[in-house]
Amino acid sequence: MTYEETLQYLYESTPVFQHEGAGAYKPGLDTSHALDNLLDNPHRAYRTIHVGGTNGKGSTSHLLAAILQKSGYKVGLYTSPHLVDFRERIRVNGEKIDQEYVVQFVEKYHEQFESLKPSFFELTSTMAFAYFRDQQVDFAVVEVGLGGRLDSTNIITPVLSVITNISLDHTQFLGDTLEAIAGEKAGIIKPGVPVVIGEAEQPSVREVFLQKAREVGAPLYIAPESILTVEGSLGTDNQWHYTTEEFGNFIGELGGMVQSMNTVTVLAAVKALRETGIHIPTEAIHEAFAHVVELTGLMGRWQTLCQYPRVVCDTGHNPGGWEYLSWQLEAESRRCNRLRMIIGISNDKDIDGVLDLMPQEATYYFTQASVSRALPAQELRKRASKHGLMGKYYTTVAAAIKTVLQEATPDDFIFIGGSTFVVADAMPLFEEE
């Protein structure tokens, strides 16, 4: 098979959550263990760091991978979903997995896989673990797919677990309270393995993590309490400028307001790794924060796609993420001539919760991503009007972008988001420009 034929086989023969949503969700670890045993437990060949949470786990994973990379280690990085290319999910030192490896992996094992009937994510996780072993990485940073306790990545025993935060998302799978979701996320806490909690302001959520850590004897660090003062300001260069007592002063390349909290989590994780004896120079931290996009290929986090007019995309897709995005868009609206919003939302999200956080003073272009999970653009427009958000609807992201670029002036600000899949549809259109 060619690479394109291999991807088609993967998409058509395994349930893909990215496309299908609930119908592709397959909780439990039995199949993951069976796949792992089939390949002789590849994840045991290197040290791993497991990153879960509701929001920020992708940025946190990329930053940790970049820090380890600049510290001189060979680093695997497994994240999801991809935006443009399947190979974004599996990287070593920032380089995407080889197409030929994907083809050969599927050709070699597809008969055994078919008898196990794995989901797309289970199969992809196994591929990543095998690739990292074959590439002889020193570390692999592994992002949880959904939840934690029953996620197929949870077969690993890492040197460090990280849980970024807890907010309401995927409630149909994880529970409809913060405490229930925290219980699922806490499932990645392993016996004796230190765990860093990024945000746990609610006492009841904090208690979930404390109780789980006590049960398994895991050293627990609450990020804001485990490191000394971190002060950050978002400069006119759209980069964060940090002043810290423990790690010196440095610049963060990622400009989203949420990155200030992610930074505290990452620094606490670095401190915990250092305490286990892992060598991480301070200069490596500075270099990684300043160049994480180049080092790891991170995309879609308050990313500028065009300058005149300025077009920014972000993958934030739930109320927890939009609390930060709403603040940032409000600041942008004060600086630009007109704020224009290209928005699409998946039908299994808290649609009203997200719409309630979007700016009133903006021109909206409602759209839908090219996945079956997308809420139809016309229905989104109706839902949005009840929140005072007005605009036209477009049945494709491409049509919405074409219209907004025709109507915008160079001094306008255009935001694209509401769904990871809207961003995925948008990015190739700007690469072609």
Side-chain angles (χ1 to χ4, degrees), residues 4-5 15 25 37 57 107 110 133 147 152 196 209 215 239 312 326 331 334 351 384 414 425:
E4 290 73 20
E5 290 169 341
Y25 179 53
N37 290 332
K57 60 183 182 288
E107 286 184 344
H110 74 274
R133 178 181 60 187
S152 61
V196 169
F209 294 132
E215 286 177 3
Q239 294 182 323
V312 167
S326 63
R334 293 194 295 267
I351 297 165
I414 301 168
D425 283 355

Side-chain angles (χ1 to χ4, degrees), residues 26 30-31 33-36 38 110-119 122:
K26 187 181 177 185
D30 289 348
T31 302
H33 280 299
L35 290 168
D36 192 52
L38 176 66
H110 74 274
E111 290 184 3
Q112 295 99 313
F113 292 156
E114 287 172 2
S115 66
L116 294 171
K117 294 181 168 44
S119 70
E122 287 169 332

Side-chain angles (χ1 to χ4, degrees), residues 223-232 242-250 263-264 267 271:
E225 301 170 5
S226 67
I227 61 174
L228 299 177
T229 304
V230 178
E231 295 180 359
Y242 295 104
T243 302
T244 80
E245 294 186 39
E246 291 183 79
F247 302 95
N249 304 332
F250 58 92
T263 295
V264 175
L267 294 180
K271 183 176 180 181

Side-chain angles (χ1 to χ4, degrees), residues 181-259:
I181 294 173
E184 291 297 318
K185 306 284 187 184
I188 70 170
I189 300 176
K190 300 295 198 317
V193 176
V195 55
V196 169
I197 307 299
E199 297 178 63
E201 295 179 0
Q202 302 91 341
S204 58
V205 169
R206 179 183 294 230
E207 183 56 33
V208 171
F209 294 132
L210 289 171
Q211 181 176 335
K212 178 65 175 181
R214 285 193 295 265
E215 286 177 3
V216 301
L220 183 142
Y221 305 83
I222 304 295
E225 301 170 5
S226 67
I227 61 174
L228 299 177
T229 304
V230 178
E231 295 180 359
S233 60
L234 191 56
T236 56
D237 56 358
N238 200 42
Q239 294 182 323
W240 279 96
H241 296 248
Y242 295 104
T243 302
T244 80
E245 294 186 39
E246 291 183 79
F247 302 95
N249 304 332
F250 58 92
I251 292 175
E253 180 180 24
L254 305 179
M257 285 190 176
V258 70
Q259 299 301 336

Side-chain angles (χ1 to χ4, degrees), residues 96-129:
K96 291 179 286 191
I97 185 172
D98 296 332
Q99 290 186 4
E100 189 60 30
Y101 188 95
V102 176
V103 173
Q104 292 180 357
F105 183 85
V106 172
E107 286 184 344
K108 183 175 181 180
Y109 295 107
H110 74 274
E111 290 184 3
Q112 295 99 313
F113 292 156
E114 287 172 2
S115 66
L116 294 171
K117 294 181 168 44
S119 70
F120 176 85
F121 190 78
E122 287 169 332
L123 190 54
T124 304
S125 300
T126 301
M127 184 189 301
F129 294 155

